[in-house]
Short mmCIF file of all heavy atoms in Angstrom, two decimals:
data_model
loop_
_atom_site.label_atom_id
_atom_site.label_comp_id
_atom_site.label_asym_id
_atom_site.label_seq_id
_atom_site.Cartn_x
_atom_site.Cartn_y
_atom_site.Cartn_z
N MET T 1 3.95 -20.09 -3.26
CA MET T 1 3.49 -19.05 -4.18
C MET T 1 4.54 -18.81 -5.27
O MET T 1 5.06 -17.73 -5.42
CB MET T 1 3.21 -17.76 -3.42
CG MET T 1 1.80 -17.72 -2.89
SD MET T 1 1.35 -16.08 -2.33
CE MET T 1 2.34 -15.93 -0.87
N SER T 2 4.88 -19.80 -6.00
CA SER T 2 5.92 -19.63 -6.99
C SER T 2 5.36 -19.22 -8.34
O SER T 2 6.08 -18.71 -9.18
CB SER T 2 6.70 -20.93 -7.13
OG SER T 2 5.83 -21.99 -7.47
N ASP T 3 4.05 -19.43 -8.59
CA ASP T 3 3.51 -19.01 -9.87
C ASP T 3 2.98 -17.58 -9.76
O ASP T 3 3.14 -16.93 -8.75
CB ASP T 3 2.44 -19.99 -10.35
CG ASP T 3 1.34 -20.16 -9.32
OD1 ASP T 3 1.13 -19.22 -8.54
OD2 ASP T 3 0.71 -21.23 -9.29
N ALA T 4 2.35 -17.12 -10.84
CA ALA T 4 1.97 -15.71 -10.89
C ALA T 4 0.46 -15.52 -10.84
O ALA T 4 -0.07 -14.58 -11.40
CB ALA T 4 2.56 -15.07 -12.13
N ARG T 5 -0.24 -16.44 -10.19
CA ARG T 5 -1.68 -16.25 -10.06
C ARG T 5 -1.96 -14.96 -9.31
O ARG T 5 -1.31 -14.68 -8.30
CB ARG T 5 -2.29 -17.42 -9.27
CG ARG T 5 -2.29 -18.72 -9.98
CD ARG T 5 -2.79 -19.81 -9.05
NE ARG T 5 -1.93 -19.92 -7.89
CZ ARG T 5 -2.25 -20.59 -6.78
NH1 ARG T 5 -3.42 -21.16 -6.68
NH2 ARG T 5 -1.41 -20.66 -5.78
N PRO T 6 -2.95 -14.20 -9.77
CA PRO T 6 -3.32 -13.01 -9.00
C PRO T 6 -3.85 -13.42 -7.63
O PRO T 6 -4.64 -14.36 -7.51
CB PRO T 6 -4.41 -12.36 -9.84
CG PRO T 6 -4.29 -12.95 -11.19
CD PRO T 6 -3.72 -14.32 -11.01
N LEU T 7 -3.40 -12.72 -6.63
CA LEU T 7 -3.80 -13.01 -5.26
C LEU T 7 -4.47 -11.78 -4.65
O LEU T 7 -4.18 -10.65 -5.03
CB LEU T 7 -2.56 -13.37 -4.42
CG LEU T 7 -1.72 -14.54 -4.95
CD1 LEU T 7 -0.46 -14.68 -4.12
CD2 LEU T 7 -2.52 -15.83 -4.94
N VAL T 8 -5.36 -12.05 -3.73
CA VAL T 8 -6.01 -10.96 -3.01
C VAL T 8 -5.61 -11.05 -1.54
O VAL T 8 -5.74 -12.11 -0.93
CB VAL T 8 -7.55 -11.04 -3.17
CG1 VAL T 8 -8.22 -9.99 -2.29
CG2 VAL T 8 -7.94 -10.85 -4.62
N VAL T 9 -5.14 -9.94 -1.02
CA VAL T 9 -4.72 -9.87 0.37
C VAL T 9 -5.80 -9.15 1.16
O VAL T 9 -6.29 -8.10 0.74
CB VAL T 9 -3.40 -9.08 0.51
CG1 VAL T 9 -2.93 -9.05 1.96
CG2 VAL T 9 -2.33 -9.69 -0.39
N THR T 10 -6.20 -9.74 2.28
CA THR T 10 -7.16 -9.06 3.14
C THR T 10 -6.62 -9.02 4.56
O THR T 10 -5.86 -9.88 4.98
CB THR T 10 -8.54 -9.76 3.15
OG1 THR T 10 -8.37 -11.12 3.55
CG2 THR T 10 -9.18 -9.73 1.78
N VAL T 11 -7.01 -7.98 5.27
CA VAL T 11 -6.65 -7.83 6.68
C VAL T 11 -7.93 -7.65 7.48
O VAL T 11 -8.75 -6.79 7.16
CB VAL T 11 -5.72 -6.62 6.90
CG1 VAL T 11 -5.42 -6.44 8.39
CG2 VAL T 11 -4.43 -6.76 6.11
N ASP T 12 -8.10 -8.49 8.48
CA ASP T 12 -9.21 -8.32 9.41
C ASP T 12 -8.81 -7.21 10.38
O ASP T 12 -8.09 -7.42 11.35
CB ASP T 12 -9.45 -9.64 10.16
CG ASP T 12 -10.64 -9.55 11.10
OD1 ASP T 12 -11.04 -8.42 11.47
OD2 ASP T 12 -11.17 -10.61 11.48
N ARG T 13 -9.27 -6.02 10.08
CA ARG T 13 -8.82 -4.85 10.84
C ARG T 13 -9.38 -4.85 12.26
O ARG T 13 -8.87 -4.16 13.13
CB ARG T 13 -9.19 -3.58 10.10
CG ARG T 13 -8.38 -3.47 8.79
CD ARG T 13 -8.92 -2.39 7.85
NE ARG T 13 -8.86 -1.06 8.41
CZ ARG T 13 -7.77 -0.30 8.43
NH1 ARG T 13 -6.66 -0.75 7.92
NH2 ARG T 13 -7.80 0.90 8.94
N GLY T 14 -10.41 -5.63 12.49
CA GLY T 14 -10.92 -5.77 13.86
C GLY T 14 -9.98 -6.58 14.74
O GLY T 14 -9.99 -6.43 15.96
N ARG T 15 -9.19 -7.43 14.11
CA ARG T 15 -8.23 -8.25 14.87
C ARG T 15 -6.86 -7.60 14.94
O ARG T 15 -6.12 -7.83 15.89
CB ARG T 15 -8.08 -9.62 14.21
CG ARG T 15 -9.36 -10.40 14.16
CD ARG T 15 -9.14 -11.76 13.54
NE ARG T 15 -8.56 -12.68 14.52
CZ ARG T 15 -8.51 -13.99 14.36
NH1 ARG T 15 -8.98 -14.53 13.26
NH2 ARG T 15 -8.00 -14.76 15.27
N CYS T 16 -6.49 -6.84 13.92
CA CYS T 16 -5.14 -6.26 13.84
C CYS T 16 -4.85 -5.44 15.09
O CYS T 16 -5.67 -4.62 15.53
CB CYS T 16 -5.05 -5.37 12.59
SG CYS T 16 -3.49 -4.48 12.47
N ILE T 17 -3.67 -5.67 15.66
CA ILE T 17 -3.27 -4.92 16.85
C ILE T 17 -2.18 -3.89 16.52
O ILE T 17 -1.57 -3.30 17.40
CB ILE T 17 -2.76 -5.86 17.96
CG1 ILE T 17 -1.61 -6.74 17.45
CG2 ILE T 17 -3.91 -6.71 18.49
CD1 ILE T 17 -0.93 -7.57 18.53
N GLY T 18 -1.92 -3.72 15.22
CA GLY T 18 -1.00 -2.67 14.79
C GLY T 18 0.45 -2.92 15.13
O GLY T 18 1.21 -1.97 15.32
N SER T 19 0.84 -4.18 15.17
CA SER T 19 2.25 -4.48 15.51
C SER T 19 3.21 -3.97 14.45
O SER T 19 4.37 -3.70 14.74
CB SER T 19 2.42 -6.00 15.66
OG SER T 19 2.32 -6.63 14.40
N GLY T 20 2.74 -3.87 13.22
CA GLY T 20 3.59 -3.41 12.13
C GLY T 20 4.50 -4.48 11.54
O GLY T 20 5.25 -4.21 10.60
N LEU T 21 4.42 -5.68 12.08
CA LEU T 21 5.27 -6.76 11.58
C LEU T 21 5.08 -6.99 10.08
O LEU T 21 6.05 -7.15 9.33
CB LEU T 21 4.95 -8.07 12.31
CG LEU T 21 5.69 -8.38 13.60
CD1 LEU T 21 5.10 -9.64 14.22
CD2 LEU T 21 7.16 -8.56 13.31
N CYS T 22 3.84 -7.02 9.65
CA CYS T 22 3.56 -7.33 8.24
C CYS T 22 4.07 -6.21 7.33
O CYS T 22 4.63 -6.48 6.26
CB CYS T 22 2.07 -7.55 8.03
SG CYS T 22 1.04 -6.15 8.48
N ALA T 23 3.91 -4.97 7.75
CA ALA T 23 4.35 -3.84 6.93
C ALA T 23 5.87 -3.82 6.79
O ALA T 23 6.40 -3.42 5.75
CB ALA T 23 3.84 -2.53 7.52
N ARG T 24 6.56 -4.24 7.84
CA ARG T 24 8.03 -4.29 7.75
C ARG T 24 8.49 -5.48 6.92
O ARG T 24 9.53 -5.40 6.25
CB ARG T 24 8.63 -4.38 9.17
CG ARG T 24 8.56 -3.07 9.93
CD ARG T 24 9.46 -3.08 11.15
NE ARG T 24 9.05 -4.07 12.13
CZ ARG T 24 8.14 -3.88 13.08
NH1 ARG T 24 7.52 -2.71 13.16
NH2 ARG T 24 7.84 -4.82 13.94
N THR T 25 7.72 -6.56 6.95
CA THR T 25 8.13 -7.77 6.25
C THR T 25 7.76 -7.72 4.77
O THR T 25 8.55 -8.16 3.92
CB THR T 25 7.46 -9.00 6.90
OG1 THR T 25 7.80 -9.02 8.29
CG2 THR T 25 7.90 -10.29 6.25
N ALA T 26 6.59 -7.23 4.45
CA ALA T 26 6.11 -7.21 3.06
C ALA T 26 5.56 -5.83 2.70
O ALA T 26 4.37 -5.67 2.46
CB ALA T 26 5.04 -8.29 2.87
N PRO T 27 6.44 -4.83 2.64
CA PRO T 27 5.97 -3.45 2.43
C PRO T 27 5.34 -3.21 1.05
O PRO T 27 4.64 -2.22 0.87
CB PRO T 27 7.23 -2.61 2.62
CG PRO T 27 8.37 -3.54 2.39
CD PRO T 27 7.89 -4.90 2.84
N THR T 28 5.59 -4.08 0.10
CA THR T 28 4.95 -3.88 -1.20
C THR T 28 3.48 -4.30 -1.17
O THR T 28 2.72 -3.94 -2.07
CB THR T 28 5.66 -4.66 -2.32
OG1 THR T 28 5.70 -6.04 -1.97
CG2 THR T 28 7.08 -4.16 -2.53
N ASP T 29 3.09 -5.05 -0.15
CA ASP T 29 1.71 -5.52 -0.10
C ASP T 29 0.93 -5.03 1.11
O ASP T 29 -0.30 -5.03 1.08
CB ASP T 29 1.68 -7.06 -0.11
CG ASP T 29 1.92 -7.62 -1.50
OD1 ASP T 29 1.11 -7.30 -2.39
OD2 ASP T 29 2.90 -8.33 -1.70
N LEU T 30 1.64 -4.66 2.18
CA LEU T 30 0.93 -4.29 3.41
C LEU T 30 1.54 -3.03 4.01
O LEU T 30 2.77 -2.86 3.99
CB LEU T 30 1.01 -5.44 4.42
CG LEU T 30 0.23 -6.69 4.01
CD1 LEU T 30 0.83 -7.94 4.63
CD2 LEU T 30 -1.24 -6.55 4.40
N ALA T 31 0.68 -2.18 4.54
CA ALA T 31 1.15 -0.95 5.18
C ALA T 31 0.21 -0.60 6.32
O ALA T 31 -0.96 -1.00 6.33
CB ALA T 31 1.18 0.20 4.17
N LEU T 32 0.74 0.13 7.29
CA LEU T 32 -0.11 0.60 8.37
C LEU T 32 -0.85 1.85 7.91
O LEU T 32 -0.26 2.75 7.31
CB LEU T 32 0.72 0.92 9.61
CG LEU T 32 1.34 -0.26 10.36
CD1 LEU T 32 2.06 0.23 11.61
CD2 LEU T 32 0.29 -1.30 10.72
N GLY T 33 -2.14 1.90 8.18
CA GLY T 33 -2.94 3.06 7.82
C GLY T 33 -2.87 4.12 8.89
O GLY T 33 -2.23 3.94 9.93
N PRO T 34 -3.54 5.24 8.67
CA PRO T 34 -3.52 6.35 9.63
C PRO T 34 -4.09 5.96 10.99
O PRO T 34 -3.77 6.59 12.00
CB PRO T 34 -4.38 7.43 8.96
CG PRO T 34 -4.75 6.94 7.62
CD PRO T 34 -4.29 5.52 7.46
N ASP T 35 -4.91 4.93 11.02
CA ASP T 35 -5.47 4.47 12.30
C ASP T 35 -4.55 3.49 13.01
O ASP T 35 -4.91 2.95 14.06
CB ASP T 35 -6.86 3.86 12.08
CG ASP T 35 -6.81 2.60 11.20
OD1 ASP T 35 -5.72 2.26 10.67
OD2 ASP T 35 -7.87 1.96 11.04
N GLY T 36 -3.37 3.23 12.42
CA GLY T 36 -2.42 2.34 13.07
C GLY T 36 -2.66 0.88 12.82
O GLY T 36 -1.99 0.03 13.40
N ARG T 37 -3.59 0.56 11.95
CA ARG T 37 -3.87 -0.84 11.62
C ARG T 37 -3.45 -1.10 10.18
O ARG T 37 -3.44 -0.19 9.35
CB ARG T 37 -5.35 -1.15 11.80
CG ARG T 37 -5.76 -1.03 13.25
CD ARG T 37 -7.20 -1.37 13.48
NE ARG T 37 -7.55 -1.14 14.88
CZ ARG T 37 -8.74 -1.38 15.38
NH1 ARG T 37 -9.70 -1.85 14.62
NH2 ARG T 37 -8.97 -1.16 16.65
N ALA T 38 -3.12 -2.36 9.91
CA ALA T 38 -2.61 -2.71 8.59
C ALA T 38 -3.73 -2.77 7.56
O ALA T 38 -4.89 -3.03 7.88
CB ALA T 38 -1.91 -4.06 8.65
N ALA T 39 -3.33 -2.53 6.30
CA ALA T 39 -4.26 -2.64 5.18
C ALA T 39 -3.47 -3.04 3.95
O ALA T 39 -2.27 -2.75 3.85
CB ALA T 39 -4.96 -1.30 4.95
N PRO T 40 -4.13 -3.71 3.00
CA PRO T 40 -3.45 -4.05 1.76
C PRO T 40 -3.06 -2.79 1.00
O PRO T 40 -3.79 -1.79 1.00
CB PRO T 40 -4.50 -4.84 0.97
CG PRO T 40 -5.51 -5.26 1.99
CD PRO T 40 -5.49 -4.21 3.06
N VAL T 41 -1.90 -2.83 0.36
CA VAL T 41 -1.42 -1.68 -0.40
C VAL T 41 -2.06 -1.62 -1.78
O VAL T 41 -2.28 -0.55 -2.33
CB VAL T 41 0.12 -1.75 -0.52
CG1 VAL T 41 0.66 -0.73 -1.51
CG2 VAL T 41 0.76 -1.57 0.84
N ARG T 42 -2.36 -2.79 -2.34
CA ARG T 42 -2.87 -2.84 -3.71
C ARG T 42 -3.96 -3.89 -3.82
O ARG T 42 -3.99 -4.84 -3.02
CB ARG T 42 -1.73 -3.13 -4.69
CG ARG T 42 -0.85 -4.29 -4.25
CD ARG T 42 0.40 -4.40 -5.08
NE ARG T 42 1.21 -5.54 -4.62
CZ ARG T 42 2.26 -5.99 -5.26
NH1 ARG T 42 2.66 -5.41 -6.37
NH2 ARG T 42 2.94 -7.03 -4.80
N PRO T 43 -4.88 -3.73 -4.78
CA PRO T 43 -6.03 -4.63 -4.85
C PRO T 43 -5.68 -6.06 -5.23
O PRO T 43 -6.39 -6.99 -4.86
CB PRO T 43 -6.94 -3.99 -5.91
CG PRO T 43 -6.07 -3.06 -6.67
CD PRO T 43 -4.96 -2.64 -5.75
N ALA T 44 -4.59 -6.25 -5.97
CA ALA T 44 -4.17 -7.60 -6.33
C ALA T 44 -2.66 -7.68 -6.20
O ALA T 44 -1.95 -6.70 -6.39
CB ALA T 44 -4.59 -7.93 -7.75
N SER T 45 -2.18 -8.87 -5.87
CA SER T 45 -0.76 -9.06 -5.66
C SER T 45 -0.30 -10.28 -6.44
O SER T 45 -1.06 -11.23 -6.64
CB SER T 45 -0.48 -9.28 -4.17
OG SER T 45 0.86 -9.70 -3.96
N ALA T 46 0.95 -10.26 -6.87
CA ALA T 46 1.53 -11.44 -7.51
C ALA T 46 2.08 -12.40 -6.46
O ALA T 46 2.47 -13.52 -6.79
CB ALA T 46 2.65 -11.03 -8.47
N GLY T 47 2.10 -11.97 -5.21
CA GLY T 47 2.61 -12.81 -4.15
C GLY T 47 4.12 -12.76 -4.06
O GLY T 47 4.80 -12.33 -4.98
N SER T 48 4.63 -13.16 -2.91
CA SER T 48 6.08 -13.18 -2.68
C SER T 48 6.33 -13.99 -1.43
O SER T 48 5.41 -14.24 -0.63
CB SER T 48 6.61 -11.77 -2.50
OG SER T 48 6.07 -11.19 -1.32
N GLU T 49 7.57 -14.38 -1.26
CA GLU T 49 7.94 -15.08 -0.03
C GLU T 49 7.67 -14.18 1.17
O GLU T 49 7.25 -14.65 2.22
CB GLU T 49 9.43 -15.46 -0.08
CG GLU T 49 9.77 -16.51 -1.12
CD GLU T 49 9.12 -17.85 -0.84
OE1 GLU T 49 9.02 -18.20 0.36
OE2 GLU T 49 8.70 -18.54 -1.78
N GLU T 50 7.92 -12.89 0.98
CA GLU T 50 7.72 -11.95 2.08
C GLU T 50 6.25 -11.86 2.48
O GLU T 50 5.92 -11.76 3.66
CB GLU T 50 8.26 -10.57 1.69
CG GLU T 50 9.76 -10.49 1.55
CD GLU T 50 10.27 -11.05 0.22
OE1 GLU T 50 9.45 -11.35 -0.67
OE2 GLU T 50 11.50 -11.19 0.09
N LEU T 51 5.38 -11.88 1.48
CA LEU T 51 3.94 -11.82 1.77
C LEU T 51 3.50 -13.07 2.53
O LEU T 51 2.74 -12.99 3.50
CB LEU T 51 3.14 -11.66 0.48
CG LEU T 51 1.63 -11.63 0.63
CD1 LEU T 51 1.18 -10.52 1.58
CD2 LEU T 51 0.95 -11.50 -0.73
N THR T 52 3.96 -14.23 2.08
CA THR T 52 3.64 -15.47 2.78
C THR T 52 4.14 -15.41 4.22
O THR T 52 3.42 -15.76 5.16
CB THR T 52 4.29 -16.67 2.06
OG1 THR T 52 3.76 -16.74 0.74
CG2 THR T 52 3.98 -17.97 2.80
N GLU T 53 5.37 -14.92 4.38
CA GLU T 53 5.95 -14.82 5.72
C GLU T 53 5.13 -13.87 6.59
O GLU T 53 4.86 -14.16 7.76
CB GLU T 53 7.39 -14.32 5.59
CG GLU T 53 8.18 -14.35 6.87
CD GLU T 53 9.61 -13.87 6.68
OE1 GLU T 53 10.10 -13.86 5.54
OE2 GLU T 53 10.22 -13.50 7.69
N ALA T 54 4.72 -12.76 6.02
CA ALA T 54 3.94 -11.79 6.79
C ALA T 54 2.62 -12.40 7.25
O ALA T 54 2.21 -12.23 8.41
CB ALA T 54 3.67 -10.55 5.94
N ALA T 55 1.96 -13.13 6.36
CA ALA T 55 0.68 -13.74 6.73
C ALA T 55 0.88 -14.78 7.82
O ALA T 55 0.04 -14.93 8.71
CB ALA T 55 0.04 -14.37 5.49
N GLU T 56 2.01 -15.49 7.77
CA GLU T 56 2.25 -16.54 8.75
C GLU T 56 2.72 -15.98 10.09
O GLU T 56 2.52 -16.61 11.13
CB GLU T 56 3.27 -17.54 8.20
CG GLU T 56 2.69 -18.33 7.04
CD GLU T 56 3.67 -19.33 6.45
OE1 GLU T 56 4.86 -19.28 6.78
OE2 GLU T 56 3.22 -20.16 5.64
N MET T 57 3.33 -14.81 10.10
CA MET T 57 3.89 -14.30 11.35
C MET T 57 2.95 -13.34 12.07
O MET T 57 3.23 -12.98 13.22
CB MET T 57 5.25 -13.64 11.11
CG MET T 57 5.15 -12.32 10.41
SD MET T 57 6.74 -11.47 10.06
CE MET T 57 7.96 -12.49 10.83
N CYS T 58 1.85 -12.96 11.46
CA CYS T 58 0.93 -12.04 12.15
C CYS T 58 0.51 -12.67 13.48
O CYS T 58 -0.02 -13.77 13.50
CB CYS T 58 -0.30 -11.76 11.29
SG CYS T 58 -1.55 -10.80 12.16
N PRO T 59 0.71 -11.95 14.59
CA PRO T 59 0.45 -12.55 15.90
C PRO T 59 -1.03 -12.82 16.18
O PRO T 59 -1.34 -13.59 17.08
CB PRO T 59 1.02 -11.51 16.87
CG PRO T 59 1.06 -10.24 16.11
CD PRO T 59 1.28 -10.61 14.68
N VAL T 60 -1.92 -12.20 15.42
CA VAL T 60 -3.35 -12.41 15.66
C VAL T 60 -4.05 -13.05 14.45
O VAL T 60 -5.28 -13.08 14.38
CB VAL T 60 -4.05 -11.09 16.04
CG1 VAL T 60 -3.56 -10.60 17.39
CG2 VAL T 60 -3.84 -10.03 14.98
N GLU T 61 -3.25 -13.56 13.50
CA GLU T 61 -3.78 -14.24 12.32
C GLU T 61 -4.84 -13.40 11.61
O GLU T 61 -5.90 -13.87 11.27
CB GLU T 61 -4.33 -15.62 12.69
CG GLU T 61 -3.25 -16.52 13.26
CD GLU T 61 -3.77 -17.89 13.68
OE1 GLU T 61 -4.79 -18.33 13.12
OE2 GLU T 61 -3.13 -18.52 14.53
N ALA T 62 -4.50 -12.13 11.40
CA ALA T 62 -5.46 -11.21 10.78
C ALA T 62 -5.33 -11.16 9.26
O ALA T 62 -6.20 -10.59 8.59
CB ALA T 62 -5.26 -9.81 11.35
N ILE T 63 -4.26 -11.74 8.71
CA ILE T 63 -3.99 -11.61 7.28
C ILE T 63 -4.40 -12.88 6.55
O ILE T 63 -4.08 -13.99 6.98
CB ILE T 63 -2.49 -11.34 7.05
CG1 ILE T 63 -2.05 -10.08 7.78
CG2 ILE T 63 -2.19 -11.24 5.55
CD1 ILE T 63 -0.54 -9.89 7.81
N SER T 64 -5.08 -12.71 5.43
CA SER T 64 -5.39 -13.83 4.55
C SER T 64 -4.94 -13.49 3.14
O SER T 64 -5.15 -12.37 2.67
CB SER T 64 -6.90 -14.12 4.53
OG SER T 64 -7.36 -14.51 5.80
N VAL T 65 -4.33 -14.46 2.49
CA VAL T 65 -3.94 -14.32 1.09
C VAL T 65 -4.67 -15.41 0.32
O VAL T 65 -4.52 -16.59 0.62
CB VAL T 65 -2.42 -14.47 0.90
CG1 VAL T 65 -2.03 -14.25 -0.55
CG2 VAL T 65 -1.67 -13.50 1.81
N ARG T 66 -5.48 -14.99 -0.64
CA ARG T 66 -6.30 -15.95 -1.39
C ARG T 66 -6.08 -15.83 -2.89
O ARG T 66 -5.81 -14.74 -3.39
CB ARG T 66 -7.79 -15.73 -1.07
CG ARG T 66 -8.14 -16.05 0.36
CD ARG T 66 -9.64 -15.86 0.65
NE ARG T 66 -9.90 -16.16 2.05
CZ ARG T 66 -10.10 -17.40 2.51
NH1 ARG T 66 -10.11 -18.41 1.68
NH2 ARG T 66 -10.31 -17.60 3.80
N ASP T 67 -6.25 -16.95 -3.57
CA ASP T 67 -6.26 -16.97 -5.03
C ASP T 67 -7.46 -16.14 -5.50
O ASP T 67 -8.59 -16.40 -5.10
CB ASP T 67 -6.38 -18.42 -5.49
CG ASP T 67 -6.28 -18.57 -7.00
OD1 ASP T 67 -7.08 -17.92 -7.71
OD2 ASP T 67 -5.43 -19.35 -7.45
N ALA T 68 -7.20 -15.14 -6.33
CA ALA T 68 -8.27 -14.24 -6.75
C ALA T 68 -9.34 -14.96 -7.55
O ALA T 68 -10.51 -14.58 -7.52
CB ALA T 68 -7.68 -13.09 -7.56
N ALA T 69 -8.96 -16.00 -8.27
CA ALA T 69 -9.92 -16.69 -9.13
C ALA T 69 -10.76 -17.71 -8.37
O ALA T 69 -11.97 -17.81 -8.58
CB ALA T 69 -9.17 -17.38 -10.28
N THR T 70 -10.12 -18.45 -7.48
CA THR T 70 -10.82 -19.55 -6.81
C THR T 70 -11.22 -19.25 -5.38
O THR T 70 -12.09 -19.92 -4.82
CB THR T 70 -9.93 -20.81 -6.78
OG1 THR T 70 -8.79 -20.53 -5.94
CG2 THR T 70 -9.45 -21.18 -8.19
N GLY T 71 -10.58 -18.25 -4.78
CA GLY T 71 -10.84 -17.94 -3.38
C GLY T 71 -10.11 -18.87 -2.43
O GLY T 71 -10.25 -18.75 -1.21
N ASP T 72 -9.31 -19.80 -2.97
CA ASP T 72 -8.57 -20.72 -2.11
C ASP T 72 -7.55 -19.97 -1.26
O ASP T 72 -6.87 -19.07 -1.76
CB ASP T 72 -7.83 -21.77 -2.95
CG ASP T 72 -8.78 -22.74 -3.61
OD1 ASP T 72 -9.96 -22.81 -3.19
OD2 ASP T 72 -8.35 -23.43 -4.56
N LEU T 73 -7.43 -20.38 -0.01
CA LEU T 73 -6.46 -19.78 0.88
C LEU T 73 -5.05 -20.21 0.47
O LEU T 73 -4.76 -21.40 0.33
CB LEU T 73 -6.73 -20.19 2.32
CG LEU T 73 -5.91 -19.50 3.40
CD1 LEU T 73 -6.26 -18.01 3.47
CD2 LEU T 73 -6.14 -20.16 4.75
N VAL T 74 -4.18 -19.23 0.24
CA VAL T 74 -2.79 -19.48 -0.15
C VAL T 74 -1.85 -19.30 1.04
O VAL T 74 -0.86 -20.00 1.18
CB VAL T 74 -2.40 -18.54 -1.31
CG1 VAL T 74 -0.93 -18.67 -1.67
CG2 VAL T 74 -3.28 -18.81 -2.53
N ALA T 75 -2.16 -18.36 1.90
CA ALA T 75 -1.37 -18.14 3.12
C ALA T 75 -2.27 -17.42 4.14
O ALA T 75 -3.10 -16.60 3.74
CB ALA T 75 -0.13 -17.30 2.82
N PRO T 76 -2.14 -17.70 5.41
CA PRO T 76 -1.17 -18.65 5.95
C PRO T 76 -1.66 -20.10 5.79
O PRO T 76 -2.85 -20.36 5.88
CB PRO T 76 -1.11 -18.27 7.43
CG PRO T 76 -2.48 -17.73 7.73
CD PRO T 76 -2.93 -17.04 6.46
N LEU T 77 -0.71 -20.98 5.60
CA LEU T 77 -0.97 -22.43 5.60
C LEU T 77 -0.07 -23.03 6.66
O LEU T 77 1.12 -22.77 6.67
CB LEU T 77 -0.64 -23.04 4.23
CG LEU T 77 -1.49 -22.56 3.05
CD1 LEU T 77 -0.98 -23.17 1.76
CD2 LEU T 77 -2.96 -22.90 3.25
N TRP T 78 -0.63 -23.77 7.54
CA TRP T 78 0.15 -24.31 8.65
C TRP T 78 0.43 -25.78 8.45
O TRP T 78 -0.27 -26.47 7.82
CB TRP T 78 -0.57 -24.10 9.98
CG TRP T 78 -1.01 -22.70 10.14
CD1 TRP T 78 -2.28 -22.22 10.11
CD2 TRP T 78 -0.17 -21.54 10.34
NE1 TRP T 78 -2.29 -20.87 10.28
CE2 TRP T 78 -1.01 -20.42 10.42
CE3 TRP T 78 1.20 -21.36 10.44
CZ2 TRP T 78 -0.52 -19.14 10.63
CZ3 TRP T 78 1.68 -20.08 10.63
CH2 TRP T 78 0.83 -18.98 10.73
S1 SF4 O 103 1.19 -8.30 11.56
FE1 SF4 O 103 -1.01 -8.60 11.98
S2 SF4 O 103 -1.38 -7.45 13.87
FE2 SF4 O 103 0.59 -6.75 13.06
S3 SF4 O 103 0.08 -4.92 11.83
FE3 SF4 O 103 0.08 -6.71 10.44
S4 SF4 O 103 -2.08 -7.42 10.39
FE4 SF4 O 103 -1.83 -6.08 12.18
#
């Protein structure tokens, strides 16, 4: 994610177990809501190493980061 394409972050809140890992790793993009589950902080993101790391480290693979224009999955990529 080195360029500045707008990205959309989504969290499958049905899968999220509220570990808080993503919110600690990428607090500009992810935060825990009042229900204890993660949610995107903003509607579009410029992306960051931290966001990629958060998507890759989620223990239940609940986070997806996609190119806003094409819908292509940007993270996690294995
Ligand atoms: S890392 Fe995954 S399970 Fe943990 S709070 Fe974030 S989305 Fe939920």
Side-chain angles (χ1 to χ4, degrees):
M1 272 193 289
S2 57
D3 56 27
R5 290 174 300 166
L7 304 174
V8 174
V9 182
T10 57
V11 177
D12 182 340
R13 293 167 62 80
R15 299 182 80 166
C16 175
I17 56 172
S19 71
L21 271 174
C22 59
R24 286 195 296 275
T25 303
T28 57
D29 283 300
L30 292 153
L32 290 184
D35 63 354
R37 296 182 184 182
V41 169
R42 47 191 181 171
S45 170
S48 65
E49 292 296 324
E50 292 79 9
L51 178 57
T52 299
E53 188 179 340
E56 291 180 349
M57 72 181 356
C58 173
V60 293
E61 299 179 25
I63 302 169
S64 296
V65 183
R66 294 181 181 277
D67 185 304
T70 66
D72 290 344
L73 188 67
V74 175
L77 296 176
W78 309 109

